[in-house]
Structure formats: structure tokens, C-alpha cells
Amino acid sequence: MTAISAEWRTSLVRQTLVALGLAAGPVVALGFTRFAYALLLPPMHRELHWSYTQAGGMNTANALGYLLGAASAAFWARKGGGRAAFLWSLAVSGAALLATAATAELAALLVLRFAGGFSTAVAFVVGSALASRVAIGAPLRRSASLVAVYMVGVGIGVIISGLVVPAALSSGDAGWRTGWLLMGVLAVIALVPAWLGARAVPEANGPHAATLSAAQIRHLGPTFVWYVLFGAGYVSYMTFVIALLRSQGLGASTAALFFVVLGAASVVATLTVWGHLCGLLRAGHAPALVAALVFLGVLPVLLMPPGPGAALLSAVVFGAGFMAGPTAATVIARRMLPASGWTAGIRRWPAGRG
């Protein structure tokens, strides 16, 4: 019994480390490429003399790239293998971040935001499928906990962005360039743990690794509709909340603290609560609970008197729930589909992020 217990603990530690390595994907894909733009948008809007239409166009380009990347993620995983698709897309994401620091031309920035959205969608979707396969054959609760470890990368990326970007912006008028440059360098470094994690996960097998049957799509339909609405809401909040807080008179230091607190709340809640709940709840209870919590998290910055208290309360409540959505969706795909169909199933969820 003791030998079995020791072997189980060793296996659990190994699987957790693999999931942590894979978590470098969402650190880059969402923490850097997607959400850090909220911190960089105000100075870029000011220094580059953008109109609101041009500023919004940057976000639209990224969202369009993300939609197309999510839609084609299963194809890339089937064509080159999940591990290769995951790592190459992360490499492209890092290159796009570095290149963003090198130009102020709107057309070039739009192309780079599109490319970054496309590559990070592939990385996040394929990485989610890899995380689902870290413990094939294990109970759903254990697999859900490992998926949650993977999703923690988003919160870690948000925390890093909240620390790195404000420091970069303090360097002067070109601080937004420094911000993109630093995140690009960190993205390149993140390839090391991502590679270590990916090489430990077996490739998916089966004839339907890139497609779903009509019956499977029909069963996943309600969850897909939920995630489209959920994604549209939480991405809008994450993109524009910093601009809202700055318009309410909050300073740069408070905005940075807001980002760090939001990321920390996401890390803690994803690890301690959602990894367990998503593996236990049935019949759509997890998505409903997540949506309710995220809705409550938005209300303080909209209804309470503007100030640090409302901002930080929103950061805690919203941060505790927003990454539970992808966790729940990934667990649902794992529960309802065979292992060979997980990438094709999971790739349907991130379309709601745009």
C-alpha cells in the first residue's frame, strides 16, 4: 500500500509539472498577447494619435485572427502534430510581440495584431487539448485539476503584464515599445518550459482527430452558445476596463495594481476552486455559476462610486471567475468526446473570445 501511495504521489507531481510547463502557453497567448493590450492601449492611443476607430481596429484585428486561429487549430494539430503546433504557434506569438515594438505604422500593427491573435489561438486551443491528455485514463476530477493548472497560466501572464508594462511605460514616450519588447523576450523564454511540458504528452490517435460528428456538434451546441456570449463579455471587459478606470480618474499605479490583483485572484481561484468544481458539477451547473460570478464582478466598476475600492473589488470577483469559463468548457469537451476529438471540440470554445 505504501509503495502504491508513493507511486501515485510521484505520478501526480510529474503530471502537475507537465501541466505547469504547458501553462507557459496561456501566459503568452492570453496574458501577454491578448490582455496586456488593455494596459498599452491608452499610451498607444495618445502617442500615436489614433482615433477611437483606429484603436478599436487593433482589437478587431486581434479578435479576427483569434477566431480564424481557433477555427483552424485542429487542422494544424492534425497536420503537424499537437506538440509541434503548440510550440510553433508560441514561437510565432513571441515574434509578433517583438515585431510590434519595432513599428508605429498602423497597417503593420494591424497585421501583427492579427498574426498574434491567430498564433495565440492555435497555441491556447492545442495546449488545452494537450493539458486534457496529461492524465488519460485518470478520474475526471484529477484531469480537471490538471486543466486548471494549465489555465493558471493566464492569471500568471496577467500578473506579469501588470508588473512589467507599467515599469516599461515609466521609461518615457516610447514606453509602449519597451512594454511589447519585454513581453516578446519573456515569450521567447517561455518556449523552454512549454517544450518540456509538451514533449511529455502523448499525441492524439484516431481517425477523427480533427473533426466532430453531427451528433457530437449537436450535443455541444448549447455550451458553444454559452461560451460565445461569455467570451464576448469577458474579453470586452478585459480589453477596455483599464481605459474606463483611467477615465474615472484612477492613476497608472492603481490600474497596475488592479491588473495584478485580478491575475492573482484568477490563479488562486482556478487552482483551489474551479479545478475541483468543474470536475464535480453536472448538467451545465459549472458554466451557469461561472457566468453569474463574472457578471457580479463587472458591477462594481459600473455601479459603485469610482475609486480604488470599486476597482479592486471588481478585480477580485471578476478575476476569481473569468478563467473558470475555459476550464469548464475544456472539461465538458473531455467528458463528452473521445480523446481523439478533444482538440476539435475545444477549438469551438475560444471562438467566443473575439
Side-chain angles (χ1 to χ4, degrees):
M1 181 69 69
T2 303
I4 294 176
S5 177
E7 183 179 349
W8 181 86
R9 286 196 299 269
T10 300
S11 176
L12 180 59
V13 170
R14 183 191 68 80
Q15 291 168 351
T16 301
L17 290 175
V18 170
L20 277 174
L22 294 173
V27 167
V28 176
L30 297 185
F32 294 170
T33 303
R34 189 68 184 86
F35 296 143
Y37 181 59
L39 291 168
L40 289 159
L41 174 59
M44 292 181 75
H45 179 262
R46 181 180 64 253
E47 299 299 333
L48 300 179
H49 308 290
W50 284 345
S51 67
Y52 287 106
T53 300
Q54 290 171 322
M58 292 283 289
N59 194 55
T60 300
N62 184 259
L64 180 59
Y66 202 103
L67 285 169
L68 295 177
S72 63
F75 167 80
W76 297 113
R78 179 173 63 87
K79 185 176 180 65
R83 292 190 292 260
F86 177 65
L87 294 172
W88 274 109
S89 57
L90 278 182
V92 172
S93 299
L97 289 169
L98 291 171
T100 302
T103 180
E105 293 295 327
L106 180 64
L109 289 171
L110 287 171
V111 171
L112 289 170
R113 288 295 288 166
F114 174 87
F118 185 95
S119 60
T120 53
V122 175
F124 184 73
V125 173
V126 177
S128 297
L130 291 174
S132 298
R133 293 200 298 273
V134 171
I136 291 179
L140 184 61
R141 289 176 60 183
R142 182 172 177 182
S143 179
S145 295
L146 292 171
V147 171
V149 171
Y150 170 79
M151 295 296 176
V152 157
V154 179
I156 294 173
V158 170
I159 292 172
I160 295 173
S161 298
L163 296 173
V164 170
V165 172
L169 294 177
S170 66
S171 64
D173 292 344
W176 63 269
R177 292 182 184 270
T178 306
W180 287 116
L181 177 63
L182 290 176
M183 287 187 295
V185 171
L186 291 173
V188 172
I189 294 172
L191 285 171
V192 175
W195 174 75
L196 292 172
R199 71 173 186 168
V201 182
E203 291 284 4
N205 295 313
H208 304 296
T211 61
L212 299 179
S213 68
Q216 290 169 335
I217 293 174
R218 187 164 56 249
H219 287 140
L220 291 172
T223 306
F224 171 72
V225 173
W226 160 75
Y227 199 69
V228 168
L229 299 175
F230 175 80
Y234 93 77
V235 167
S236 298
Y237 174 93
M238 287 295 294
T239 301
F240 298 110
V241 66
I242 296 299
L244 173 64
L245 296 179
R246 296 302 299 271
S247 71
Q248 292 177 345
L250 274 66
S253 59
T254 303
L257 177 62
F258 168 89
F259 231 60
V260 171
V261 170
L262 188 150
S266 175
V267 170
V268 172
T270 302
L271 279 179
T272 62
V273 178
W274 295 112
H276 303 287
L277 275 184
C278 291
L280 290 173
L281 296 178
R282 297 291 189 273
H285 293 165
L289 181 60
V290 170
L293 183 62
V294 168
F295 170 73
L296 292 175
V298 173
L299 295 181
V301 294
L302 298 179
L303 302 181
M304 292 177 62
L312 294 180
L313 176 60
S314 180
V316 170
V317 179
F318 184 92
F322 83 108
M323 280 316 296
T327 303
T330 302
V331 171
I332 288 172
R334 187 188 188 278
R335 178 184 293 150
M336 298 181 67
L337 301 173
S340 60
W342 289 347
T343 302
I346 292 168
R347 63 99 170 172
R348 294 183 171 270
W349 310 141
R353 294 177 192 283

